[in-house]
Structure formats: C-alpha cells, structure tokens
Amino acid sequence: MKGIILFTTMILFLSIAVSAMAVPLPPPPPGVRVTVPLPPPIVFPAPPEVVVVPETEVYVAPGVPEEFFFHNGYWWRPWNGRWYRSLYYDRGWGVYGGVPFWYNRIPRDWRENYRNHLWGGHPWNYHYIHYNDLQRNWRGWHNTRYWEKPEHREFTHRHDGKPYSVGEHGTAHVDKGHGADQLNKGTTQGKLNKSTVGTGQKNINEGTTTGQGKLGTGGHGATGTKVHSSGQTTKGQHSKEKEGKK
C-alpha cells in the first residue's frame, strides 16, 4: 500500500515538473523604438527659384509659403519642432538632429525685407536664381566666395543698418552708393595729374629755364636735349643723330 502511494506521488511530481517546463518563458521586452513622422509633402508646380540671403550663403525660396532653404547642397525645412533636410526639394526628407548652425544668421523678418526690397533700411536689389543654375553653380560660388565680391553683392548695408564690409575675411570694401567709384576715380586721376602735370611740367620748366636747351622743332634743344611727353630729358640724342648722318 505504501509503495502504491509513493509511486503515485512520484508520478504527480513528475507531471508537475514537466508541465512547468512546457510553459514558454515570456519574451524579452522589445527595444525602444521612436518613430519620427516625416513632414507633409509640398506641392511644387515647378522647381523653386531662390534668392541668396545677404551676408550668408543661404538661399531662400520666397515662392514657397513655408520656411524653405538651400545650403551646402541640401534643401532644409523646419516642421513640428524638428528640422529636416534632403538632397531633393520634393522628396527624400530625413530628420536632422538639432538646429542648423546657419539658421541663426537668418533674420526672422526676411520675408518682409524681401517684399519691401530693403536690407538694413537700404535698397536690396536681389535677383532670382533658377533651380538649374543653383544646382550647377552653388559649389563654385561657395569655393570662390562669390557672394562676398562687391560686384555681386546686392545690398550696401547689413541687416542692422551698418555699412557692409568683409573685413572679417581680411578685405575691406567701400560700399557702392558711398562714393566708391568716385573715390577710386578721383584717387587715380589725382595721381595721374600729379605725375603728368606736376612732375612732367616741372622737368619741362627746368629744361627751358635753366639753359639746358630751349625747345625747338621736334622738341630738340640747342644742346641736343630732347624733351619727352613725360617731362624727362635725354641728353646727347641730337648729337648722336648728327654723328650717325656723318
């Protein structure tokens, strides 16, 4: 009798053990996944034309109602508290961590300045850049600092109203509209006049009043002194010509 009870107990124990082993273990907790939504697509009837923002290499698309930029080969747009960028203006968006460094240089009222053609309270004579031209040339414009050159600047003052210069790059420019052309022309003309009228006239006067030779036909003096248009004299030229004829 005891043997039957012991045998039954062992069978029950084994059944419980096998049942416990057959119960599957709970799966490990899944990894934390954060799905970032993509911004809604923007409908473009044509590739966007852009305008370069003064003092930067950032291009804005005024025809797009949302904030839409181009910089360093990427199209950029903020949406829902995040920034996104893509190599294409109409697809391929990916989230960008943080705020682009160049955005701090973009005035928040740039659209108002654009509509009024003003920058720093002065005329902003921007022009539109076609999409194809931008794609072909943005890298070259970056490498040559194209937009910093005076002949390509479309403004005369910074956004804070101060006259523009690029002294931070080692070169200072006088703004157009502040007499740069007149200043350069005046300086050049002044040097030219001083050279031709002052120095040349002085030499001519000295040659005629000190007895070195009066001006004669062909500019030859009595002592064989030839007066050039620059006011300088070459002595002995007349005598050498006579010797040659002999």
Side-chain angles (χ1 to χ4, degrees), residues 192-214:
L192 179 62
N193 293 340
K194 182 177 180 181
S195 176
T196 56
V197 177
T199 305
Q201 189 64 43
K202 180 180 178 181
N203 289 342
I204 293 173
N205 292 339
E206 288 179 353
T208 56
T209 58
T210 58
Q212 292 179 358
K214 296 181 180 180

Side-chain angles (χ1 to χ4, degrees), residues 36-44 48 64 66-71 73-79 82-96 102:
V36 178
L38 296 179
I42 300 175
V43 178
F44 293 91
V64 180
E66 303 178 23
E67 294 288 84
F68 200 74
F69 307 93
F70 180 89
H71 179 264
Y74 287 95
W75 296 93
W76 302 76
R77 59 181 296 195
W79 181 75
R82 294 186 177 91
W83 276 87
Y84 299 80
R85 71 177 184 178
S86 174
L87 293 172
Y88 310 96
Y89 68 89
D90 56 353
R91 64 185 188 278
W93 296 101
V95 67
Y96 178 82
W102 48 262

